[in-house]
Amino acid sequence: MYAAKGLHIEHICRNNRQGFKAGALNHGLSIDKAGTPFVAIFDADFIPGADFLQRTIPALIEQPKVGMIQCRWEHLNREQNLLTRLEAILLDGHFVLEHSARYRSGRFFNFNGTAGVWRREAIEGSGGWTGDTLCEDLDLSYRAQLKGWSFIYLQDAAVPAELPAELCAFKTQQHRWAKGSIQTALKLLPQLLGSRLPLRCRTEAVFHLCGNLAYPVMALLLLLLPITLHTRMALGEGWGLWIDLPIFICATANLLLFYAMAEIELGDGKWPRRLHLLPLVLALGVGLTVNNGRAVWEA
């Protein structure tokens, strides 16, 4: 339809899956004989607004050292069921607080695989898309920033998309992200730690790339739970309270505050009706322990 209107548009399918998404992206660049300077990337379930390019391309043109612009994800099916409501809060925390904090403080942050625009020169100058990790987006993001490219995060330029509405699909997604992030850490941490980047930048990058190592630790804590319960019963209720209460507050209150602030910062005025879901958000995260711990082990 659009081609008939005179637009240069093609729907291209590969005859193999070599390299998976990284291979598909490289294939798209290889057949672009015009050498298009900017590349917008969307997964199939994202619906960019008509003004998406108008809100992103000018910054790339005006700032030649900007290699990528990432936009925030919105959620088309946020209210579909309890799972999608919890997933939305998890992702809001990632984009609204984590991405914005890393961007504003000059730390590294990553392209999320979709809802963004890359400068072609930044892709090719950083080694291109590679399929040796499951997170080709995180991998290229760090390689590009190590090459000196800067990124921009646009909080107000949101792109709607669908969330996994079934638990199996959600677990598969989280397994892939957890495994890919550890693969990327194993691949790039030596180069990152050996760079001349500021210590604050390297430190945050280590925590970012290795965040999923928390899942094997959580699994170990769960295995130790019967022993700790026996010990606490032997110590008496008073000692158990003195030990458990500070740990509970430090391990739980900060996460509840984190996700509450993300919903408030979102600015849609609906945060009061979401606060009661926060304990379930934490429970969902704990419920991923075995799934994501296995992903870390596979990596």
Side-chain angles (χ1 to χ4, degrees):
M1 179 178 68
Y2 289 105
K5 294 180 180 180
L7 295 175
H8 182 195
I9 183 170
E10 296 179 68
H11 180 204
I12 300 165
C13 295
R14 293 194 299 162
N15 57 12
N16 64 75
R17 297 190 66 201
Q18 184 176 357
F20 300 102
K21 185 175 179 178
L25 292 168
N26 282 327
H27 180 70
L29 290 176
S30 69
I31 60 177
D32 174 27
K33 305 304 181 183
T36 304
F38 307 118
V39 182
I41 301 174
F42 301 97
D43 285 348
D45 55 348
F46 278 71
I47 305 177
D51 62 346
F52 177 83
L53 295 178
Q54 293 172 321
R55 302 185 71 171
T56 54
I57 295 297
L60 288 167
I61 295 174
E62 295 165 5
Q63 303 178 61
K65 289 305 294 179
V66 172
M68 187 277 298
I69 294 178
Q70 173 69 57
C71 296
R72 179 171 59 84
W73 294 5
E74 277 188 337
H75 319 296
L76 289 168
N77 60 333
R78 181 177 198 129
E79 301 299 328
Q80 181 173 347
N81 56 42
L82 179 59
L83 177 61
T84 57
R85 289 196 287 271
L86 300 182
E87 290 177 71
I89 293 175
L90 285 170
L91 285 172
D92 289 343
H94 171 64
F95 280 95
V96 176
L97 291 190
E98 289 184 12
H99 259 10
S100 61
R102 288 176 180 135
Y103 168 54
R104 293 173 186 174
S105 62
R107 269 75 167 179
F108 282 8
F109 73 95
N110 62 292
F111 173 57
N112 292 95
T114 176
V117 183
W118 275 87
R119 187 185 300 274
R120 184 177 187 143
E121 182 185 352
I123 297 174
E124 296 176 342
S126 305
W129 303 98
T130 60
D132 54 354
T133 75
L134 289 179
C135 284
E136 73 292 323
D137 44 13
L138 178 64
D139 175 26
L140 180 59
S141 296
Y142 267 76
R143 285 189 280 116
Q145 289 170 106
L146 283 167
K147 288 286 187 180
W149 291 99
S150 61
F151 290 175
I152 291 176
Y153 169 60
L154 297 180
Q155 182 104 293
D156 296 330
V159 181
E162 286 188 338
L163 296 161
E166 297 180 355
L167 189 57
C168 287
F170 174 64
K171 288 174 63 179
T172 300
Q173 177 198 69
Q174 295 300 308
H175 183 279
R176 185 175 72 252
W177 290 353
K179 183 175 180 177
S181 69
I182 299 302
Q183 289 175 328
T184 304
L186 292 170
K187 176 180 178 179
L188 297 180
L189 274 182
Q191 181 182 350
L192 180 71
L193 294 174
S195 70
R196 296 186 177 181
L197 291 166
L199 179 61
R200 61 184 178 84
C201 187
R202 283 178 287 162
T203 302
E204 163 59 22
V206 170
F207 279 106
H208 183 194
L209 290 176
C210 297
N212 283 296
L213 291 177
Y215 286 104
V217 178
M218 289 170 64
L220 178 61
L221 289 175
L222 291 173
L223 291 174
L224 293 173
L225 187 58
I227 300 173
T228 59
L229 288 175
H230 176 76
T231 304
R232 288 168 189 166
M233 290 176 66
L235 289 173
E237 294 183 2
W239 278 104
L241 182 64
W242 281 106
I243 295 171
D244 285 344
L245 189 59
I247 294 176
F248 177 78
I249 292 174
C250 292
T252 305
N254 60 335
L255 289 173
L256 292 173
L257 181 62
F258 174 84
Y259 289 112
M261 291 305 300
E263 294 306 310
I264 294 171
E265 181 69 19
L266 200 57
D268 61 1
K270 299 179 180 179
W271 63 268
R273 70 184 71 171
R274 296 173 184 155
L275 292 184
H276 72 284
L277 294 172
L278 295 184
L280 296 179
V281 171
L282 303 191
L284 181 63
V286 174
L288 290 170
T289 297
V290 174
N291 181 73
N292 288 10
R294 183 166 55 87
V296 170
W297 177 257
E298 289 176 6

